[in-house]
Amino acid sequence: MLGNQGRGTADHFGVTDRIDLIAGSFSKALSSTGGFVAGSREVIEYLRSHSKQTIFSAALAPAQAYAAEAALDLLREKPEHLRRLWDNTRRYKQILTELKLDIWGSETPAVPIVLGTKERAYRFWQHLMDKGVFTVMSIAPAVPPGKDLVRTAISACHTEDDMSRIAEAMAFAARRL
């Protein structure tokens, strides 16, 4: 969702013309699963036959490809979704910052909340679940030691009521750390 019209990290940093391969995920922003790698025919053919990650992989299911395509169409046809996503993201980060929670310098709608230990991450996660807010824990070795966290993500679909509920749940969990 970074860059002009959400075109990605390379666009965000103005280096698209200097990139040989572009890889992306269909999961968070495009509401599907899987991903892609785009590049020259020669490089893609090399990856197909030499990359451990692709040798045993299968093609995307048509429903996954269609869901990603529909999400891209929506972004092109209704740019207000991208604006709402960034408005929600700014508000969410302000909520977390005011609660003095460590968001590890996140610049995207996927916002980690670093809690430091798996015990603190678990307690924070559980308090959010008690308030009906779903997050995912990431603990070492998936993250560096001392950076145990809960992963969160904001979307364009979060309403004012949702944002208020999230703010209340975050404050509840933060007070109990």
Side-chain angles (χ1 to χ4, degrees), residues 138-156:
S138 290
I139 59 173
V143 296
K147 292 286 189 178
D148 300 276
L149 56 86
V150 294
R151 294 173 41 201
T152 67
I154 290 299
S155 82

Side-chain angles (χ1 to χ4, degrees), residues 1 19 25 41 47 60 67 73 82 84-85 168-169:
M1 300 283 68
I19 301 294
S25 167
R41 177 176 299 280
L47 290 174
L60 288 174
D73 289 344
L82 189 58
R84 193 166 47 248
L85 169 67
E168 180 184 315

Side-chain angles (χ1 to χ4, degrees), residues 88-168:
N88 283 350
T89 299
R90 281 187 288 280
R91 180 168 175 211
Y92 179 59
K93 287 180 181 181
Q94 180 181 3
I95 290 165
L96 299 178
T97 301
E98 287 174 1
L99 292 169
K100 299 192 182 347
L101 294 169
D102 178 0
I103 61 171
W104 207 354
S106 174
E107 295 182 29
T108 70
V111 183
I113 301 172
V114 178
L115 297 151
T117 67
K118 66 182 175 185
E119 294 81 13
R120 283 173 50 94
Y122 176 78
R123 284 194 310 273
F124 194 84
W125 172 85
Q126 185 62 61
H127 292 313
L128 292 176
M129 287 295 286
D130 292 345
K131 291 293 185 178
V133 172
F134 178 79
T135 60
V136 176
M137 286 193 317
S138 290
I139 59 173
V143 296
K147 292 286 189 178
D148 300 276
L149 56 86
V150 294
R151 294 173 41 201
T152 67
I154 290 299
S155 82
C157 294
H158 283 107
T159 64
E160 285 296 317
D161 286 344
D162 293 334
M163 296 302 287
S164 294
R165 279 188 42 229
I166 291 167
E168 180 184 315

